[in-house]
């Protein structure tokens, strides 16, 4: 079909353009043979253009994505249709496999052990796929979905790509759910809504503009939602929904339907074969609910999404039960009852049968096996133990039963453990209220609130033994007042939760919500209760929000001065949220957003304000412009500055002092710590959040109420010892770390060193002589190699270099290693040297017939050519011709040496060894380099290559994957495909839209409290959530540590200020009056005063600011009005007192 479209458009355009010309010639009076020839030539030229144009259309026209059970239109004549209408994962139990047959092509969608992020290493077929194009089906755009693939894996993504979802109700919640599903890339989303857009919807729905008022909600949503992902089919349904409509979907979501209709629809979905996942979700003011029913038997293939835990075996006893001990390299994460499998065990080979075995008595470095190993062989060495992830079958109850017998509720806040049963009643009471009165309760109406409370009480009385003792009329009053409103932060939060539940239903990945979840954030209400009149609508886009919070808080939101740091995934969501809330939309309000990054393709699957045509543009500028489209009243300034000490002239004292609140949307700890210190210094609230895959956390940093972000730190990630990475790897992470290091050394650092020398040989030589260490010697050796021994002038030279690198890395170095440490080598204590976790390596034998070997040479030679500016011939990517070139390379014989030192000390930080004659060697190397420079062409420079993980055409990841996998073969470590290599070597942070949406929704619920002011510590909430489990853990923040001295109290939030430009003596006296004896004063890293130094007493009459300029060399630009000093003090009993930082104002 696509061929016909292209051909038709190409020829059609040709006819339209060429016909008038031909007609003109025909009617020309001088029509002769020359004219005929002109027509013929023009025809030929245009036919050629049509061919090119039709080819271009191949890329311009939307392409239909390949999904399970669906034919993809291409140039072949495929006329078959799918024999199966739709696919849904099996719900009949674990281990069932469903296969979709389509045009004789089998697509397996069976039981996934939960480890769909892995690809096994070792088989010849897999290696060939990895080497020659990575074997990835065309249906997954890895550039777009790389961060999502890191969370879900390919199998889960394929299941999502085959899923059809219905979203009913397109107010704020429905729009958020649809957005998250479309970004994730489900096959299709059908939008259902019979209602029309109202001004009321503007408080929560980012899709609608005021021009959409009066249009059908579903129809008004299509275009903007389609922009998020052109690969998803989006359709609408604007008529009354019937059960027959539901049969076309794997999952259906209802956000605005009565319980009566919900029960009807759920009964149909529950009994359908296969069952259709049913979700009912509601957001009513500051209250929300979710109900899930995925059928009578639903199989979860991977309950948590975590990698299977592993351990390296140190010993196994011949006992009943057997005791298994593991090396103390890392703590074991096993739990009692886990199933594990063993591999690579020497001696007790009976364990290598692949049979899952149950463990008990799990300890940090050991466990017992529920098995008698008395008659097994004696354990000798080696072995890996790996957790086996088991499927789990869940039996969901239909809504009809669950309403009266809800079971256990999923808790989010343990301070509200009694809240879910009450909200279970409240939502039913609201449904009955609407059914009876055909409307929602009116905000501020005490009569309506009492009516709702009465209905709730009536339902409670009918519950018999399940009756609640207290129905909390005050809470129900708040519920009634805000019942009609859909607030954006609540919609964002629940949109993330529900979106994730839909993806669980469609894929079997992660544990579903079972079955009810209720949440409220009544603490977000103003500290001072508004008058009833304050809730009245103002005929504005914020009326829904005003109906919950009142117009006074709305004014505070609009006048807020906000600093948002970062406009990536979190930043896009925050911008959307604050625009809808009306933050910084008033005359006094202003939002400043900064981000120094530009948009990349991989951003588009989460950072929903960006489109493909924005790639390469500044994130902050595009995001700010998109946010103004959502709410034109937003006063936003977009900057491209990194926030740090170097930009304090941009973000100066006046800037910070004028802020109402700071919202972090950052992706690194160092930047967070800097912003945290600025907020501490200027005493500004900081709203902090972060995500990692399906996990998210939020932290509120409130002046004088909570501790700051930097008060608690996560422990640093454990780094593998250098000797392990370079000589004794025992997992693929070690291999990839080494590969990344070698890539940067060969292709970036060494060419940069060469250029540094060529730019200024004299200065470079002088610097190396002055350094005079092993590192300088190594740098010079690498430069000499590049300019002399390994210099490339032709592409054949690059192939020779790559082939010899293979020999060096995977043959010669291994031969040297096992020569120095033979397989039977022992340590100084007599223990076997090659004991766990060390793995004894084997050298590879290069074979041009091995695709992995050949692909390594191809990638390495292409990148080597790039560093030397050598053109890459077309034949370089042709296997046969590449083999011919490789066969020309003469590989010298290698002989191991006896005097080679190989580092085995795990504490060593460098592999370079110092020598007493380093200076002489350095001089000799410099002389050789200067000599080799003479043979270089004029102006010769190398081109350093900076690693870029997200460009699959640049061969960077091909080389790194090749390096890592060849090394893995040396050590019998399972290999990985290029995508997995990219995750590890590229240090990709797994990310999905759902957890991002939830985190920002939670933060914006706290933003109401911050901008209102007057809230107590117990009103705020920090949150940790894991949507995979699901787990929601909310708690009030930790207060700051209080320091007391005499009658004074202070915390980390306090800063002492001294004005009038004091002298050093005046500063000391000011402190003495507080009972503090200062013995040391410093500014930055310089000491201005220390009582032990007699000469420092000569500084007593000098101004402190002058000392800072003279001693600490502090520069004081015009915008600076003060300096900060740190003072160490004692009390009169010589006890150290930790006092606040002191700011000395001199202007």
């Amino acid at each position: 079909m696509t061929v016909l479209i292209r051909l038709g458009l190409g020829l059609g355009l040709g006819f339209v353009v060429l016909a008038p010309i031909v007609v003109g010639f025909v009617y020309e009076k001088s029509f002769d043979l020359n004219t005929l020839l002109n027509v013929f030539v023009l025809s030929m030229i245009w036919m050629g253009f049509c061919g090119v144009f039709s080819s271009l259309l191949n890329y311009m026209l939307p392409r239909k994505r390949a999904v399970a059970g669906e034919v993809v239109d291409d140039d072949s004549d495929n006329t078959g249709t799918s024999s199966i209408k739709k696919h849904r994962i099996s719900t009949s139990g674990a281990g069932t496999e469903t296969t979709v047959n389509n045009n004789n092509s089998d697509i397996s969608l069976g039981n996934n052990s939960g480890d769909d992020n892995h690809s096994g290493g070792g088989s010849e077929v897999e290696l060939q796929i990895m080497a020659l194009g990575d074997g990835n089906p065309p249906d997954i755009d890895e550039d777009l979905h790389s961060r999502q693939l890191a969370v879900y894996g390919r199998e889960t993504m394929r299941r999502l790509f085959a899923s059809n979802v219905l979203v009913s109700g397109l107010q704020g919640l429905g729009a958020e759910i649809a957005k998250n599903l479309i970004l994730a890339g489900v096959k299709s989303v059908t939008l259902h809504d019979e209602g029309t857009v109202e001004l009321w919807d503007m408080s929560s729905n980012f899709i609608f503009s005021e021009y959409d008022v009066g249009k059908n909600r579903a129809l008004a949503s299509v275009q903007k939602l389609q922009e998020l992902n052109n690969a998803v089919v989006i359709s609408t349904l604007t008529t009354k929904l019937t059960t027959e409509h539901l049969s076309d979907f794997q999952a259906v979501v209802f956000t605005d339907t009565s319980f009566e209709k919900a029960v009807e629809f759920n009964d149909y979905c529950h009994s359908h074969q296969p069952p259709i996942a049913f979700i009912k979700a509601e957001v009513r003011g500051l209250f929300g609910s979710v109900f899930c029913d995925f059928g009578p038997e639903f199989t979860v293939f991977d309950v948590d999404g975590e990698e299977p835990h592993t351990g390296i075996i140190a010993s196994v006893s011949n006992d009943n039960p057997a005791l298994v001990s593991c090396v103390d390299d890392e703590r074991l994460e096993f739990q009692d009852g886990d199933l594990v499998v063993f591999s690579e065990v020497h001696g007790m080979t009976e364990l290598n049968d692949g049979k899952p075995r149950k463990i008990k008595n799990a300890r940090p470095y050991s466990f017992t096996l529920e098995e008698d190993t008395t008659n097994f062989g004696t354990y000798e060495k080696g072995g890996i133990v790996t957790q086996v992830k088991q499927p789990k079958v869940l039996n969901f109850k239909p809504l009809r039963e669950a309403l009266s017998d809800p079971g256990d509720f999923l808790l989010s806040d343990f301070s509200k453990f009694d809240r879910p049963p009450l909200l279970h009643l409240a939502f039913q009471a609201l449904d009955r209220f609407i059914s009876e009165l055909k409307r929602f309760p009116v905000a501020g109406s005490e009569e309506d609130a009492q009516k709702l409370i009465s209905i709730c009480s009536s339902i409670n009385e009918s519950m018999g033994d399940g009756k609640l003792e207290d129905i909390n009329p005050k809470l129900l009053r708040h519920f009634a007042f805000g019942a009609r409103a859909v607030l954006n932060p609540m919609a964002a939060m629940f949109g993330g939760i529900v979106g994730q539940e839909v993806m669980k239903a469609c894929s079997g990945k992660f544990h579903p919500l079972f079955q009810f979840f209720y949440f409220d954030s009544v603490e977000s209400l103003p500290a001072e209760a508004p008058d009833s009149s304050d809730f009245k609508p103002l005929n504005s886009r914020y009326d829904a929000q005003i109906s919950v919070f009142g117009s006074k808080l709305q004014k505070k939101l609009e006048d807020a001065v906000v600093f948002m740091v970062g406009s990536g995934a979190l930043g896009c969501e925050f911008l959307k949220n604050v625009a809808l809330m009306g933050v910084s939309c008033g005359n006094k309000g202003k939002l400043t957003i900064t981000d120094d990054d530009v948009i990349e393709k991989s951003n588009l699957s989460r950072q929903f304000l960006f489109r493909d045509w924005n790639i390469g543009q500044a994130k902050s500028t595009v995001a700010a412009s998109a946010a103004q489209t959502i709410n034109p009243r937003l006063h936003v300034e977009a900057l491209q500055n990194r926030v740090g000490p170097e930009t304090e002239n941009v973000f100066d004292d006046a800037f910070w002092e004028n802020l109402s609140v700071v919202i972090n949307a950052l992706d690194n700890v160092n930047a967070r710590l800097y912003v945290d210190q600025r907020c501490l210094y200027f005493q500004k609230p900081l709203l902090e959040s972060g995500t990692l895959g399906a996990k998210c956390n939020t932290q509120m940093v409130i002046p004088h109420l909570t501790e700051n972000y930097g008060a608690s730190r996560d422990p640093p990630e454990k780094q593998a010892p250098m000797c392990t990475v370079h000589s004794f790897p025992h997992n693929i992470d070690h291999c990839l770390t080494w590969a990344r290091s070698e890539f940067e050394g060969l292709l970036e650092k060494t060419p940069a060193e060469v250029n540094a020398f060529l730019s200024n040989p004299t200065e470079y030589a002088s610097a190396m002589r002055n350094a005079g260490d092993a590192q300088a010697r190594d740098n010079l050796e690498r430069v000499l190699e590049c300019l002399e021994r390994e210099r490339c002038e032709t592409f054949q030279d690059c192939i020779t270099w790559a082939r010899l690198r293979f020999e060096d890395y995977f043959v010669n170095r291994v031969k040297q290693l096992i020569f120095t440490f033979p397989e039977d080598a022992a340590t100084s204590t007599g223990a076997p040297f090659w004991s766990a976790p060390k793995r004894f390596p084997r050298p590879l034998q290069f074979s041009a017939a091995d695709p992995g070997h050949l692909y390594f040479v191809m990638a390495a030679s292409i990148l080597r050519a790039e560093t030397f500016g050598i053109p890459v011939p077309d034949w370089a990517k042709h296997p046969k011709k590449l083999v011919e070139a490789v066969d020309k390379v003469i590989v010298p014989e290698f002989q191991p040496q006896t005097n080679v030192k190989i580092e085995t000390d795990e504490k060593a930080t460098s592999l370079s060894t110092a020598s007493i004659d380093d200076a002489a060697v350095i001089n000799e190397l410099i002389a050789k380099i200067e000599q080799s420079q003479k043979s270089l062409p004029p102006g010769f420079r190398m081109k350093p290559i900076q690693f870029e993980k997200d460009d699959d055409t640049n061969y960077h990841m091909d080389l790194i994957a090749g390096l890592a996998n060849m090394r893995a073969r040396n050590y019998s470590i399972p290999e990985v495909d290029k995508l997995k290599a990219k995750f590890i070597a590229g240090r990709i942070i797994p990310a999905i839209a759902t957890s991002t949406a939830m985190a920002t929704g939670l933060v914006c619920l706290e933003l109401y409290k911050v901008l209102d002011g007057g809230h107590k510590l117990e009103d705020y909430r920090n949150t940790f959530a894991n949507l995979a489990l699901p787990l929601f853990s909310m708690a009030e923040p930790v207060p700051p540590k209080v320091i007391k001295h005499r009658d004074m109290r202070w915390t980390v939030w306090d800063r002492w200020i001294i004005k009038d430009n004091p002298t050093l003596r005046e500063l000391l006296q000011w402190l003495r009056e507080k009972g503090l004896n200062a013995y040391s004063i410093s500014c930055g890293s310089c000491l201005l005063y220390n009582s032990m130094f007699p000469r420092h007493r000569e500084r007593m009459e000098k101004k402190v600011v002058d000392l800072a300029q003279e001693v600490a060399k502090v520069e004081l630009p015009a915008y600076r009005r003060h300096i900060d000093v740190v003072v160490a003090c004692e009390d009169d009993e010589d006890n150290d007192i930790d006092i606040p930082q002191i700011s000395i104002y001199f202007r």
Side-chain angles (χ1 to χ4, degrees):
M1 185 66 185
T2 308
V3 176
L4 293 175
I5 293 172
R6 292 202 302 265
L7 186 60
L9 284 170
L11 293 177
L13 183 59
F15 178 79
V16 169
V17 174
L18 197 57
I21 298 173
V22 174
V23 171
F25 276 127
V26 170
Y27 282 93
E28 185 76 31
K29 289 180 181 177
S30 58
F31 182 74
D32 55 14
L33 182 59
N34 287 335
T35 305
L36 185 61
L37 285 172
N38 288 336
V39 172
F40 177 77
V41 170
L42 274 170
S43 301
M44 292 302 100
I45 292 171
W46 194 258
M47 286 174 70
F49 171 77
C50 292
V52 173
F53 183 75
S54 66
S55 297
L56 286 172
L57 284 169
N58 180 47
Y59 299 96
M60 294 164 64
L61 287 173
R63 293 175 66 85
K64 197 173 185 182
R65 183 178 63 200
V67 293
E70 177 178 338
V71 179
V72 180
D73 291 333
D74 57 18
D75 291 347
S76 61
D77 184 19
N78 263 332
T79 55
T81 56
S82 171
S83 59
I84 296 179
K85 183 176 182 181
K86 63 170 185 170
H87 166 72
R88 174 171 166 77
I89 62 172
S90 167
T91 57
S92 59
T96 305
E97 182 172 69
T98 304
T99 302
V100 178
N101 294 320
N102 186 10
N103 291 351
N104 301 319
S105 172
D106 292 343
I107 302 172
S108 175
L109 292 164
N111 184 12
N112 161 29
S113 66
D115 192 16
D116 58 5
N117 283 337
H118 289 285
S119 72
S123 81
E124 199 67 21
V125 174
E126 287 171 337
L127 289 174
Q128 186 168 359
I129 288 173
M130 184 280 291
L132 304 177
D134 213 19
N136 299 327
D139 55 338
I140 299 179
D141 185 340
E142 290 182 1
D143 286 344
L144 177 65
H145 291 294
S146 60
R147 276 61 175 172
Q148 189 170 309
L149 275 164
V151 180
Y152 294 137
R154 287 199 183 94
E155 188 59 36
T156 296
M157 290 287 288
R158 291 191 186 103
R159 289 173 179 168
L160 290 178
F161 283 6
S163 300
N164 304 299
V165 183
L166 169 74
V167 178
S168 176
L170 268 296
Q171 295 181 31
L173 177 56
E176 290 286 338
I177 296 166
K179 176 203 72 183
N180 294 331
L181 294 175
I182 292 164
L183 289 172
V186 296
K187 180 181 177 183
S188 75
V189 174
T190 299
L191 310 172
H192 169 256
D193 201 308
E194 299 168 53
T196 57
V197 178
E198 304 174 34
L199 196 60
W200 185 270
D201 297 326
M202 300 296 156
S203 282
S204 62
N205 192 310
F206 69 94
I207 300 170
F208 302 147
S209 71
E210 293 179 19
Y211 299 106
D212 293 319
V213 172
K215 299 177 184 176
N216 175 272
R217 287 196 189 100
L219 294 175
S221 303
V222 173
Q223 182 182 344
K224 288 185 181 176
L225 288 175
Q226 187 68 75
E227 288 177 1
L228 299 176
N229 191 343
N230 284 322
V232 178
V233 178
I234 301 177
S235 56
T236 60
L237 202 58
T238 59
T239 57
K240 190 174 182 180
L241 202 62
T242 64
T243 53
E244 287 72 25
H245 288 123
L246 306 185
S247 61
D248 294 327
F249 304 102
Q250 279 72 49
V252 294
V253 183
F254 294 89
T255 67
D256 187 23
T257 191
S258 67
F259 275 108
E260 181 183 0
K261 292 299 294 182
V263 166
E264 177 191 342
F265 290 141
N266 178 237
D267 285 345
Y268 175 83
C269 293
H270 191 85
S271 59
H272 191 272
Q273 289 301 321
I276 301 165
F278 174 93
I279 300 174
K280 184 182 190 303
E282 289 182 82
V283 167
R284 303 298 178 198
L286 289 167
F287 299 80
S289 73
V290 181
F291 169 79
C292 295
D293 171 15
F294 295 172
E297 287 187 337
F298 179 80
T299 302
V300 185
F301 296 116
D302 181 359
V303 295
D304 59 11
E306 302 294 337
E307 298 277 359
H309 301 304
T310 62
I312 301 171
I313 298 169
S315 67
V316 185
S317 67
N318 291 90
D319 283 320
N320 183 19
L323 175 65
V324 180
S325 298
C326 292
V327 300
D328 58 1
D329 198 43
E330 287 185 13
R331 291 172 62 94
L332 296 174
E333 300 291 339
F334 298 140
Q335 295 181 353
D336 289 0
D338 278 354
L339 294 178
V340 297
V341 292
F342 292 84
S343 59
E344 303 180 29
V345 177
H346 292 252
M348 195 179 287
T349 55
E350 293 89 345
L351 291 178
N352 295 332
D353 57 7
K355 183 178 82 173
R357 292 172 163 86
K358 186 175 285 191
I359 68 170
K360 60 182 181 180
N361 300 326
R363 299 287 184 267
Y365 303 104
S366 67
F367 57 87
T368 54
L369 210 56
E370 289 190 350
E371 186 154 358
D372 184 358
T373 60
T374 308
N375 298 320
F376 285 11
T378 303
Y379 173 82
E380 295 174 5
K381 65 175 183 177
I384 304 290
V385 57
T386 305
Q387 176 192 32
V388 178
K389 303 192 79 170
Q390 294 294 296
K392 180 179 181 180
V393 178
L394 296 174
N395 309 117
F396 286 86
K397 289 186 289 191
L399 181 60
R400 185 185 298 276
E401 294 177 25
L403 279 172
S404 56
D405 183 18
D408 293 332
F409 297 102
L410 178 63
L411 269 178
S412 62
D413 188 335
F414 285 96
S415 68
K416 302 178 179 180
F417 68 92
D418 58 344
R419 193 66 55 83
L422 175 57
L423 295 184
H424 187 64
L425 287 181
F427 276 92
Q428 293 178 67
L430 177 63
D431 180 74
R432 191 175 295 180
F433 182 104
I434 296 169
S435 176
E436 291 178 7
L437 301 183
K438 309 302 180 188
R439 62 172 177 83
F440 283 95
V442 174
S445 169
E446 296 293 347
E447 183 182 345
D448 282 359
Q450 289 305 315
K451 171 74 172 175
L452 184 81
I453 293 167
S454 175
I455 294 172
C456 195
S457 178
S458 174
I459 297 173
N460 187 43
E461 291 297 328
S462 67
M463 290 176 60
D465 294 340
K467 175 183 172 183
L468 302 181
E469 292 183 8
D470 178 20
I471 62 169
N472 196 339
K474 183 180 178 181
L475 185 78
L476 292 177
R477 179 174 173 273
H478 291 314
F479 180 71
F481 281 8
R484 187 188 166 203
V486 178
L487 299 175
N488 167 257
M490 290 290 292
M493 174 193 169
F494 274 81
I497 295 171
V498 176
Q500 195 64 61
E501 292 306 309
V502 172
M503 286 179 261
K504 294 175 187 179
C506 295
S507 68
K509 180 91 168 182
F510 302 155
H511 197 291
L513 194 159
F514 192 83
Q515 292 189 255
F516 279 105
F517 173 65
Y518 290 101
F519 172 83
D520 74 85
S521 182
V522 289
E523 301 81 15
S524 296
L525 290 170
E528 185 180 329
D531 297 330
S532 297
S533 60
D534 209 29
F535 297 116
K536 290 180 179 178
L538 304 177
N539 196 31
S540 79
R541 61 178 296 140
Y542 311 119
D543 279 351
Q545 190 164 256
I546 289 170
S547 75
V548 177
F549 297 100
S551 55
K552 289 178 184 174
L553 179 54
Q554 184 61 46
K555 182 72 166 59
K556 291 179 181 179
L557 297 178
E558 292 176 34
D559 288 343
V561 180
V562 180
F563 186 28
M564 191 176 294
V565 190
S567 59
L570 287 166
C572 284
E573 287 285 341
F574 277 130
L575 275 173
K576 175 255 298 176
N577 293 354
V578 298
L580 290 170
M581 292 164 67
V583 174
S584 303
C585 293
N587 293 331
K588 298 179 182 178
K590 182 181 180 182
L591 187 151
T592 303
I593 184 164
T594 189
D595 195 315
D596 66 342
D597 202 3
V598 296
I599 298 164
E600 300 173 359
K601 186 176 180 181
S602 62
N603 302 147
L604 303 182
S605 65
R606 310 172 318 286
Q607 301 173 22
F608 79 103
L609 295 182
F610 307 145
R611 304 292 178 263
D612 52 7
W613 55 83
N614 297 132
I615 291 172
Q617 298 175 15
K619 283 186 175 181
S620 59
T621 304
V622 175
S625 176
Q628 285 182 313
T629 303
I630 294 172
N631 187 347
R633 297 173 181 83
L634 179 66
H635 297 149
V636 59
E637 179 183 10
L639 303 175
Q640 286 82 50
N641 301 96
R642 183 185 294 269
V643 178
E646 67 277 9
T647 55
E648 288 183 6
N649 61 323
V650 178
F651 307 111
D652 57 19
D653 292 5
F655 174 84
W656 284 96
E657 288 166 356
N658 195 41
L659 294 176
S660 308
V661 65
V662 179
I663 300 175
N664 263 356
L666 290 161
D667 61 359
N668 71 88
V669 172
N670 288 336
R672 286 184 167 106
L673 289 171
Y674 175 80
V675 175
D676 176 56
Q677 286 302 309
R678 294 275 86 189
C679 289
L680 262 182
Y681 188 85
F682 291 101
Q683 302 187 16
K684 299 298 178 183
L686 171 64
L687 307 188
E688 179 60 70
S689 58
T691 69
L692 180 67
K695 306 179 186 76
C696 69
N697 72 285
T698 67
Q699 181 180 350
M700 302 305 109
V701 179
I702 311 299
H704 305 291
L705 287 183
T706 74
E707 67 177 11
N708 62 308
Y709 172 80
S712 58
R713 303 274 188 93
D714 291 331
E717 289 187 19
K718 186 177 180 182
Q719 299 290 326
M722 188 170 289
C723 66
T724 299
V725 170
H726 282 268
S727 301
F728 310 108
H730 53 81
N731 60 43
I732 196 65
D733 289 46
H734 296 156
C735 297
L736 283 160
T737 300
W738 170 83
R740 172 82 182 264
S741 174
E742 289 299 311
F743 178 99
E744 291 174 346
L746 291 171
L747 301 172
E748 181 181 1
K749 292 178 182 176
T750 299
E753 286 288 327
V754 169
N755 290 348
F757 166 75
L758 294 175
S759 298
N760 196 328
T762 305
E763 187 178 309
Y764 185 83
S766 176
M768 292 297 107
R769 288 190 181 101
N770 290 338
D773 56 7
Q775 184 64 54
R777 187 190 69 210
D778 287 353
N779 288 345
L780 289 167
E781 285 174 349
R782 289 200 301 270
V783 171
L784 183 61
E785 276 184 349
C786 257
L787 295 182
E788 188 176 274
R789 293 192 294 270
E790 296 182 357
R791 183 173 148 207
C792 298
E793 295 180 343
T794 66
F795 191 74
Q796 179 64 44
D797 292 341
C798 298
I799 289 175
T800 301
W801 176 86
R803 172 65 185 87
L804 293 179
R805 274 288 161 185
F806 183 99
E807 199 72 12
D808 177 45
Y809 284 142
F810 313 120
V811 184
N812 299 348
R813 293 191 190 186
V814 176
K815 286 181 178 178
Q816 181 64 59
L817 181 62
I818 61 180
F819 176 82
T820 305
F821 301 109
E823 195 164 6
D824 59 356
T827 65
S828 57
T829 62
F833 178 84
W834 292 103
S835 58
K838 290 187 179 75
R839 302 170 74 92
F840 186 75
R842 310 281 178 190
L844 301 184
Q845 177 66 48
F846 183 84
S847 170
D850 187 314
H853 295 189
L854 194 63
Y855 206 68
F856 168 84
V857 172
M858 185 182 83
S861 58
I862 288 172
L863 291 173
R864 181 68 167 179
E866 186 179 335
T867 63
F868 277 92
I870 298 170
V872 178
D874 291 339
W875 58 261
K877 300 168 188 176
H878 192 283
K880 274 190 178 179
K881 293 183 179 178
L882 185 62
V883 169
E884 291 173 8
V886 172
D887 287 343
K888 295 176 185 176
V889 180
I890 298 172
V891 181
E893 193 68 30
F894 175 77
Q895 290 297 329
Q897 299 175 10
T898 56
N899 59 348
V900 174
K901 183 182 185 304
I902 297 175
E903 187 62 69
T904 59
D905 182 4
E906 293 191 352
K907 296 179 181 178
T909 57
S910 173
L911 298 180
S912 302
T913 53
S915 170
I916 55 172
D917 58 351
D918 272 345
V921 173
I922 285 172
N923 282 326
E924 184 182 342
L925 288 169
I926 289 171
K928 288 181 179 179
I929 292 171
E930 288 173 344
Q931 187 62 34
S932 65
Q933 181 190 9
K934 296 175 182 177
S935 63
L936 296 175
F940 173 82
R941 292 289 186 276
M942 293 190 72
K943 181 188 173 185
I945 297 175
Q946 286 193 325
F947 173 60
E948 172 50 59
K949 62 183 177 291
D950 285 323
D951 181 357
D952 280 341
T953 65
N954 63 12
Y955 290 93
H956 295 192
M957 277 313 308
D958 300 276
L959 179 57
I960 286 178
L963 281 164
N965 281 332
M966 295 306 102
R967 188 169 177 81
R969 287 193 202 180
N970 282 140
Y971 289 87
S972 302
I973 294 169
E975 298 170 35
V976 292
D977 63 11
K978 195 169 79 174
L979 182 67
K980 182 72 173 181
K982 182 195 286 191
F983 295 155
I984 300 170
R987 302 178 188 119
I988 286 177
I989 298 174
I992 48 179
T994 49
S995 56
T996 304
M998 180 180 179
T1000 58
L1002 286 165
V1003 168
C1004 288
L1005 287 172
E1006 302 301 307
L1007 182 60
Y1008 287 125
K1009 305 171 190 176
V1010 170
L1011 294 180
D1012 176 58
H1015 283 266
K1016 299 176 182 177
L1017 177 70
E1018 54 266 28
D1019 293 331
Y1020 289 96
R1021 292 290 183 272
N1022 290 347
T1023 301
F1024 171 77
N1026 186 343
L1027 290 174
L1029 299 179
L1031 167 73
F1032 307 104
S1033 178
M1034 298 178 184
E1036 67 182 56
V1038 177
K1041 178 184 175 183
V1042 177
I1043 298 171
K1044 299 176 183 177
H1045 173 68
R1046 290 187 175 179
D1047 57 347
M1048 295 182 289
R1049 298 161 56 94
W1050 63 82
T1051 71
V1052 68
W1053 285 101
D1054 289 293
R1055 177 164 57 106
W1056 288 350
I1057 294 174
I1058 305 179
K1059 297 187 177 180
D1060 302 326
N1061 198 13
T1063 63
L1064 178 58
R1065 185 185 302 281
E1066 287 169 340
L1067 172 59
L1068 294 173
Q1069 181 60 35
W1070 185 83
L1071 290 166
R1072 203 167 289 121
E1073 290 170 1
K1074 298 178 181 295
L1076 297 167
N1077 303 309
Y1079 59 84
S1080 176
I1081 301 174
S1082 58
C1083 181
S1085 59
C1086 294
L1087 199 61
L1088 303 186
Y1089 168 78
N1090 190 291
S1091 59
M1092 295 179 64
F1093 300 154
R1095 294 191 63 182
H1096 281 193
R1097 291 172 192 156
E1098 298 171 7
R1099 301 174 175 177
M1100 285 293 183
E1101 304 309 322
K1102 288 192 174 184
K1103 300 286 189 182
V1104 177
V1105 66
D1106 294 337
L1107 283 174
Q1109 287 179 296
E1110 293 170 18
V1111 179
K1113 307 301 181 189
V1114 172
E1115 294 182 5
L1116 298 174
Y1119 61 83
R1120 286 292 300 274
R1121 295 185 291 125
H1122 70 273
I1123 60 166
D1124 300 309
V1125 295
V1126 175
V1127 182
C1129 293
E1130 296 173 335
D1131 61 16
D1132 293 335
E1133 283 78 42
D1134 296 336
N1135 298 311
D1136 276 335
I1137 304 294
D1138 189 10
I1139 70 168
Q1141 190 176 47
I1142 297 178
S1143 294
I1144 296 175
Y1145 280 75
F1146 55 87
R1147 287 186 180 136

